[in-house]
Amino acid sequence: MEPKTFLPLTPVAFEILLALRNGALHGYAVMQAVNEASPRRVHPGTLYRAVARLVDEGLLAEEGGESEGRRSYAITDLGRRVAAAEAMRVAGQVERAQGIQKSARRPREA
Amino acid sequence: MRWARRLYRLLLRAYPPTFRERYGADMEDAFVYLLRTKGRFRYGLWVGTLWDVVGGGLSERRRARRGNRNTLGKGGAGSMETWLQDLRYGVRTLVKNPGFTLVAVITIALGIGANSAIFSVVDSVLLEDLPYDEPDRLVTVWAELQTRDVEFFPYSPPELRDLREQTSALEALGGVVTFRQPLTGEGDPVQISTAGVTTNFFDVLGISPQLGRTFVPEDGAPAAAGTPGTAPPTLPNSVILSHGLWQRRFGGDPGVLGRTVDVGGVSSEIVGVMPPDFELWLPPQANVDPRPDLWGAMRLDFDNSPRNNVFITVLGRLRDGASVSQAQAELDGATARFSEQFAIYNTLGYRQRAVPLMVDVTRDVRPVILALLGAVLFVLLIACANVANLLIVRASARERELAVRAAMGGNRVRLFRQLITESLLIGALGGLVGLVIAQLGIEALQAFGPATLPRLATVSLDGTVLLFTVLAATGAALVFGILPAVQASRFELSSVLGERGRGGGGAGAKRLRSAAVVLEVALSLVLLIGTGLMVRSYRALAQSDPGYNPAGLMTFTTNVPFARYPEATQRAAFTMQLLESLRAIPGAEEVGGVFPFPLSGQPFNGRYGTESALEDERNYRQGGYRATVPGYFETMGTRLIAGRTFDEADFNDSLPNVVVDNVLAEKTWPGESAVGKRLLVRPLGPDPVWVDVIGVVAHQRHQTLAADGMETLYFTDRYLGSFGAMTWAIRTGGRPDLLVPQIRRAVASLDPLIPLDDVRDMESRVHEAGGGTRFALVLIGAFGLLALALAAVGLYGVLSYTVRQRTGEFGVRMAFGAEGRSIVRLVLRQGLTLAVAGVAIGIPTALLLTGVMESLLVGVSPTDPVTFVTTAALFVAVACVASLVPALRAVRVDPVVALRED
């Protein structure tokens, strides 16, 4: 599937993909990474609903977890491509935002 | 932590089961992570969590339904739109019946408000973690002297050293003792509360200072000179200020670090300032002030201090992963080694125990709070029964409306949902109003609550209490809503529409209402019996003779600093001079002094024995020791039973004379006169000495007003070495507080650097000592009366309704010649049957439950028959009145009107 069709990602979903960029993590570690990276508290419900979506869409793969239901998650190839596409999209936004501060500070003329 | 996880697991039920199975366990872990990192009781976290769970759960459920539309089966019932429709309809119904709505909401609000207020206390006092680092790992360590019935025995420095060496499950052991001392230099001398701590004490708690540093081992290096034997430990010269003292005395100046102050005559350097919210929570038996003004590092000589100089309350931190039972096993080992090394431990019945700090701190108040929680739960149940009754009445009044709705195509499930939605609305409104009531209740609790309730000041409507309120309101709505809703939605269509629409519910509804009333009566009877027991306790307390007469007594404490009065003779001279000056105050009828003072909370105990103790140390007993100034018993109004009290010669010449109380005299020499007998005591050094009994006085209650307490020996302060602290009592015929300016002048003229401390009249001390009992009495009493009122209203409601229903029948009866009296009897009998059934259930329930109040009761047993019988009788009387009003109304019915109505 075309990565673009998944864009834009929710901030939490994007953070989850980013947290897994270096390899699979347990749910607890994902929670930790996402909360450390986010400016606001991310509650478990928000996190796992995003995880569920990502798994359903094939961006994440669930591993293990027969016992006690605790699983770990890995990013799939598709997930990697979607994350890259999202990063490009955000980068474009950042580029367009250049100078926004300056212009905001400049007093209105006329 | 564990209960928070359990609560979260419960909340997760908002999610569809498939989602829960897949992620539930992981989500719990994630939630625990948030708790760890974002604080446990932050309002925001719980509110956010609730939002997250409810919002996320609902949309996940919606998704699950959308995804599996085919497998869901009969759709319809369950969508958001239906629910909103029910809600709108419910609001309309409630607005249309303002009277019903008001009564129902207020009833539920009273129940919920009481519950939320008490739960907020449970939360802050019993559930919330103590404000230290990993508080679960903190334990108090106590010694016990079983042969002398001493349960909370502190430690000496060498014992603390031994414990540190012999326990590995405890990674650190610290100690603390608090006492009052004068602070001089920079402004007027003031008496302040000081804490002496081991240098590692703040590390054990895991507390950092706001400014500067905590103590380092060098701060506690023993002074070159030997420490005095039984004197309070002199404060060393590194000190940390409390935030309060820093603000009051130093204006919050950050430059105080490095400055020196004079504490108890010792020059001390300020090395740090504590954070504002720091408080020290230890069990009341430790007699440690939770908010000392100043902390000093004790210079303890761990190797050379005598082992009988015990004053340190020991607090330990468990090694990570170690359990209390491991620590306990090591303490038992240490006890065995103590006993091998020193014979004295064998004769004491010496034991040691480690107790989780939280358990130790809350032990005394737990039963009170749980009893109150039980009481408010009863109030809420009674309120629910009342509202259920109202709902049943209303449902029967609405039968036609409901029947029409059913005929128009609403099915039973829809009807049921509609009625439950209305109940939930009432619950929600009740919860909101209840929060207001709870807030008022909390403010009242904080204003009148006893000082013995730890952390009362931190009680507030925080996120946990809000969550509790939401759950209580929902739970209550289900309790009072489900049965009436089932009842109302189960009717037979044809019978209602076919019948003449007066409704009134079938036999089922009537049974349900009667059952609700019986339940109310039973529950409120239990509460009222609790109230009755408290009333009797309070009366017993008020009538008990404490051994002194508090009226017209002014009291205050002085501390003569050892640093400026190093010799006992100097301190004794000061005491006698002050006695003379105080006697010279116009209006002062009697003057005396003692240390420690009754009801001050300070213990001072020692051993005593007779000849038999010389042969076997186990024959020593434990008694209270007191240091007195002549005139003490006369001033306090304590009765002299035999012999004489102290005079100035006893004091000045330091004669080995003692006065004992009647409890000691009767225990030691039953049936004989104690005067002229000898006692073996050990007030000073390690060796026992003989003293002569010169008099016997009436026993004084020292620790509490509620119980007699320990037998007591009175020495002269001079004989005990004049240890500086003395609480003075002055009796006057006028108002005690008018003496205070003259007392200040008298003390200042002798030594302007000695501050007056704890200046209060005796009646306020007695009043405060009764605070805990009064508090429980007022609360349980208030809940009991509320319950009684609710039950009476419930009974009245049921009977009035019956009377209205049977108006026609009564009319017929009277038309055929029945007398008014027989009608009254008919109604009364119905009311009394319900009341008696309630009493019959209530009494055995109360017998089972009042046992939990045992620790609150004074001079009355939890199954006191007088209270039980009186309360039941009172109840039946109230039931009579509540039945009589509708009964009389029944008689006034005009038969013609009644018949026409039918």
Side-chain angles (χ1 to χ4, degrees):
Chain A
M1 228 198 272
E2 186 60 29
K4 279 227 171 89
T5 54
F6 295 98
L7 301 190
L9 291 175
T10 64
V12 172
F14 192 31
E15 284 297 349
I16 294 170
L17 292 179
L18 292 181
L20 297 171
R21 67 187 183 281
N22 292 329
L25 289 176
H26 276 283
Y28 191 86
V30 176
M31 178 73 181
Q32 229 167 337
V34 169
N35 261 292
E36 277 161 18
S38 303
R40 292 182 54 187
R41 183 148 66 208
V42 177
H43 283 276
T46 316
L47 182 83
Y48 279 97
R49 287 175 53 219
V51 165
R53 292 303 90 74
L54 291 170
V55 171
D56 291 350
E57 306 279 9
L59 275 61
L60 290 188
E62 252 173 36
E63 295 166 2
E66 305 86 51
S67 66
E68 290 191 350
R70 283 169 174 81
R71 302 141 199 266
S72 61
Y73 304 90
I75 191 165
T76 61
D77 266 356
L78 177 62
R80 230 172 252 289
R81 284 188 289 139
V82 171
E86 174 74 2
M88 287 305 292
R89 191 183 68 80
V90 174
Q93 287 177 328
V94 172
E95 202 165 308
R96 270 174 286 136
Q98 295 296 325
I100 197 171
Q101 290 249 310
K102 241 179 278 167
S103 64
R105 237 182 269 134
R106 193 188 307 153
R108 271 243 180 100
E109 284 156 81
Chain B
M1 208 58 118
R2 226 169 294 128
W3 71 268
R5 184 188 265 271
R6 224 174 292 149
L7 189 61
Y8 188 72
R9 189 175 305 157
L10 209 67
L11 287 175
L12 280 183
R13 302 208 153 249
Y15 285 88
T18 46
F19 191 86
R20 214 161 55 220
E21 274 157 31
R22 209 163 136 198
Y23 297 114
D26 278 344
M27 286 174 76
E28 278 174 36
D29 290 346
F31 177 70
V32 169
Y33 161 79
L34 274 190
L35 275 184
R36 286 235 173 84
T37 53
K38 313 283 173 176
R40 180 164 169 191
F41 282 87
R42 297 283 164 69
Y43 168 87
L45 177 58
W46 278 104
V47 171
T49 298
L50 206 62
W51 186 249
D52 181 58
V53 166
V54 172
L58 284 180
S59 67
E60 207 57 39
R61 275 178 189 273
R62 250 201 318 275
R63 241 183 86 89
R65 256 200 314 276
R66 271 206 311 274
N68 321 312
R69 199 182 292 271
N70 299 335
T71 56
L72 197 67
K74 37 174 180 171
S79 81
M80 200 76 180
E81 293 72 45
T82 320
W83 191 72
L84 280 175
Q85 210 179 348
D86 283 345
L87 197 65
R88 269 196 298 274
Y89 189 79
V91 171
R92 268 210 303 278
T93 318
L94 292 184
V95 170
K96 258 194 300 189
N97 299 286
F100 161 81
T101 309
L102 197 70
V103 171
V105 166
I106 288 180
T107 308
I108 286 302
L110 285 171
I112 288 183
N115 271 274
S116 295
I118 295 300
F119 178 78
S120 69
V121 175
V122 172
D123 177 33
S124 295
V125 178
L126 298 186
L127 296 180
E128 195 160 329
D129 278 338
L130 291 167
Y132 309 124
D133 186 36
E134 295 190 56
D136 294 350
R137 286 167 58 197
L138 291 173
V139 293
T140 45
V141 181
W142 289 102
E144 297 170 16
L145 311 183
Q146 291 185 333
T147 57
R148 297 196 205 161
D149 294 329
V150 179
E151 273 184 82
F152 292 86
F153 200 66
Y155 283 90
S156 66
E159 288 168 336
L160 176 56
R161 177 204 56 198
D162 292 350
L163 287 188
R164 281 176 173 171
E165 286 168 2
Q166 297 177 16
T167 55
S168 63
L170 293 162
E171 68 178 23
L173 283 158
V176 61
V177 58
T178 58
F179 44 99
R180 297 182 72 84
Q181 296 198 100
L183 174 71
T184 50
E186 306 208 27
D188 295 333
V190 282
Q191 193 76 8
I192 58 167
S193 168
T194 62
V197 296
T198 55
T199 52
N200 68 345
F201 188 70
F202 296 107
D203 304 332
V204 173
L205 290 175
I207 293 289
S208 313
Q210 176 175 333
L211 268 189
R213 60 173 176 88
T214 52
F215 297 123
V216 293
E218 292 74 59
D219 294 322
T227 36
T230 54
T234 42
L235 199 81
N237 39 27
S238 290
V239 295
I240 296 176
L241 303 180
S242 74
H243 192 269
L245 185 68
W246 180 50
Q247 293 292 334
R248 276 200 313 278
R249 187 89 172 175
F250 302 94
D253 175 12
V256 289
L257 298 183
R259 297 234 302 256
T260 55
V261 285
D262 184 296
V263 186
V266 179
S267 154
S268 312
E269 184 189 342
I270 300 169
V271 301
V273 175
M274 275 289 143
D277 50 357
F278 177 59
E279 290 179 315
L280 183 54
W281 293 114
L282 286 168
Q285 290 85 352
N287 198 37
V288 164
D289 183 352
R291 283 169 291 273
D293 297 304
L294 182 133
W295 306 77
M298 288 190 286
R299 296 196 177 279
L300 297 175
D301 189 341
F302 288 106
D303 297 324
N304 300 315
S305 307
R307 294 181 90 82
N308 61 11
N309 182 19
V310 299
F311 56 89
I312 305 172
T313 297
V314 172
L315 191 68
R317 178 171 284 279
L318 291 170
R319 189 172 297 288
D320 203 359
S323 68
V324 177
S325 51
Q326 279 170 301
Q328 183 60 52
E330 291 180 353
L331 286 179
D332 292 342
T335 302
R337 278 186 288 273
F338 282 8
S339 305
E340 276 168 32
Q341 281 179 296
F342 304 95
I344 176 74
Y345 288 105
N346 291 314
T347 67
L348 296 170
Y350 197 81
R351 296 283 178 281
Q352 300 182 85
R353 64 176 194 274
V355 188
L357 179 61
M358 185 68 175
V359 173
D360 222 10
V361 168
T362 57
R363 182 196 301 105
D364 289 0
V365 294
R366 183 179 293 268
V368 187
I369 296 179
L370 292 184
L372 286 175
L373 192 64
V376 289
L377 190 67
F378 274 31
V379 170
L380 183 58
L381 282 176
I382 295 167
C384 284
N386 249 356
V387 174
N389 248 330
L390 284 173
L391 283 174
I392 296 169
V393 172
R394 212 175 52 113
S396 48
R398 283 170 70 187
E399 250 170 9
R400 299 198 124 219
E401 171 212 330
L402 297 175
V404 169
R405 289 193 55 179
M408 306 277 286
N411 60 15
R412 250 179 218 179
V413 177
R414 272 306 303 275
L415 262 183
F416 177 79
R417 282 172 49 114
Q418 175 60 46
L419 292 169
I420 282 292
T421 306
E422 286 178 30
S423 295
L424 285 171
L425 264 175
I426 295 171
L429 289 172
L432 278 179
V433 180
L435 279 178
V436 177
I437 295 175
Q439 180 59 39
L440 295 176
I442 289 174
E443 281 165 24
L445 285 178
Q446 286 173 334
F448 303 112
T452 47
L453 204 57
R455 296 198 282 169
L456 187 59
T458 68
V459 172
S460 68
L461 283 183
D462 60 7
T464 321
V465 181
L466 287 181
L467 193 68
F468 170 84
T469 308
V470 170
L471 293 176
T474 316
L478 295 179
V479 167
F480 68 67
I482 279 187
L483 280 178
V486 167
Q487 185 71 35
S489 56
R490 207 170 51 191
F491 60 83
E492 289 301 320
L493 243 182
S494 56
S495 78
V496 175
L497 288 179
E499 213 186 69
R500 291 204 40 212
R502 180 155 21 86
K510 210 178 286 173
R511 259 202 310 277
L512 200 58
R513 304 196 50 199
S514 300
V517 168
V518 169
L519 179 74
E520 275 183 62
V521 170
L523 290 175
S524 48
L525 180 71
V526 174
L527 267 188
L528 264 196
I529 286 176
T531 307
L533 292 172
M534 286 310 298
V535 169
R536 281 176 66 86
S537 299
Y538 194 66
R539 284 190 50 186
L541 201 58
Q543 285 166 0
S544 69
D545 176 15
Y548 33 82
N549 173 12
L553 275 184
M554 192 66 215
T555 65
F556 65 97
T557 303
T558 55
N559 279 272
V560 180
F562 274 52
R564 288 192 292 116
Y565 296 77
E567 297 300 323
T569 50
Q570 294 171 305
R571 299 190 291 269
F574 176 86
T575 302
M576 285 318 270
Q577 282 166 3
L578 184 54
L579 179 63
E580 285 313 312
S581 313
L582 293 173
R583 277 180 177 159
I585 293 175
E589 292 167 7
E590 302 270 3
V591 181
V594 73
F595 193 87
F597 200 70
L599 305 181
S600 66
Q602 281 155 309
F604 176 26
N605 303 321
R607 55 164 76 175
Y608 73 90
T610 56
E611 277 80 1
S612 65
L614 278 183
E615 295 143 26
D616 187 344
E617 290 227 335
R618 270 172 297 190
N619 289 329
Y620 275 116
R621 278 199 289 257
Q622 196 82 351
Y625 279 14
R626 305 284 178 269
T628 64
V629 172
Y632 172 63
F633 301 108
E634 291 76 6
T635 312
M636 296 295 279
T638 299
R639 200 160 45 90
L640 177 67
I641 294 173
R644 65 175 180 89
T645 58
F646 294 118
D647 58 26
E648 270 141 59
D650 293 313
F651 191 95
N652 290 329
D653 303 336
S654 193
L655 297 177
N657 290 341
V658 293
V659 172
V660 299
D661 66 11
N662 56 334
V663 178
L664 186 144
E666 279 151 27
K667 263 193 190 173
T668 313
W669 302 284
E672 293 176 58
S673 166
V675 178
K677 299 280 198 318
R678 293 197 308 167
L679 275 179
L680 205 51
V681 294
R682 205 182 62 178
L684 301 169
D687 300 317
V689 291
W690 287 107
V691 289
D692 298 311
V693 177
I694 59 166
V696 179
V697 294
H699 177 73
Q700 297 185 330
R701 293 199 170 175
H702 183 80
Q703 286 293 10
T704 78
L705 285 174
D708 267 335
M710 225 182 251
E711 60 264 41
T712 312
L713 297 83
Y714 299 89
F715 301 87
T716 65
D717 178 53
R718 178 77 188 86
Y719 183 74
L720 292 183
S722 290
F723 47 68
M726 181 55 62
T727 301
W728 297 86
I730 305 183
R731 180 167 292 284
T732 173
R735 262 174 52 192
D737 54 316
L738 294 180
L739 296 177
V740 174
Q742 300 172 75
I743 294 172
R744 286 194 190 282
R745 271 199 297 279
V747 175
S749 69
L750 286 179
D751 185 337
L753 291 183
I754 291 184
L756 292 196
D757 192 25
D758 202 17
V759 185
R760 305 165 62 184
D761 61 55
M762 188 66 192
E763 279 182 323
S764 80
R765 290 178 189 268
V766 171
H767 185 79
E768 187 180 281
T773 313
R774 209 164 38 240
F775 178 72
L777 167 72
V778 167
L779 282 183
I780 292 185
F783 297 144
L785 290 180
L786 185 59
L788 178 66
L790 286 175
V793 167
L795 194 59
Y796 169 82
V798 167
L799 292 176
S800 330
Y801 186 73
T802 320
V803 167
R804 208 170 341 126
Q805 240 188 330
R806 293 171 72 180
T807 307
E809 180 206 326
F810 290 153
V812 171
R813 279 175 187 245
M814 283 168 72
F816 280 97
E819 279 184 59
R821 240 186 314 163
S822 67
I823 304 273
V824 172
R825 212 177 300 141
L826 199 72
V827 179
L828 265 184
R829 192 189 307 143
Q830 196 197 344
L832 286 181
T833 310
L834 293 178
V836 168
V839 168
I841 297 173
I843 285 194
T845 315
L847 281 173
L848 283 176
L849 292 181
T850 48
V852 303
M853 294 177 65
E854 182 124 43
S855 67
L856 302 179
L857 301 180
V858 181
V860 55
S861 108
T863 55
D864 177 48
V866 178
T867 311
F868 273 66
V869 170
T870 323
T871 314
L874 171 74
F875 222 99
V876 173
V878 170
C880 276
V881 174
S883 319
L884 206 58
V885 178
L888 291 176
R889 196 182 306 139
V891 181
R892 279 200 301 272
V893 165
D894 180 348
V896 180
V897 175
L899 288 172
R900 195 179 297 140
E901 192 176 276
D902 211 36

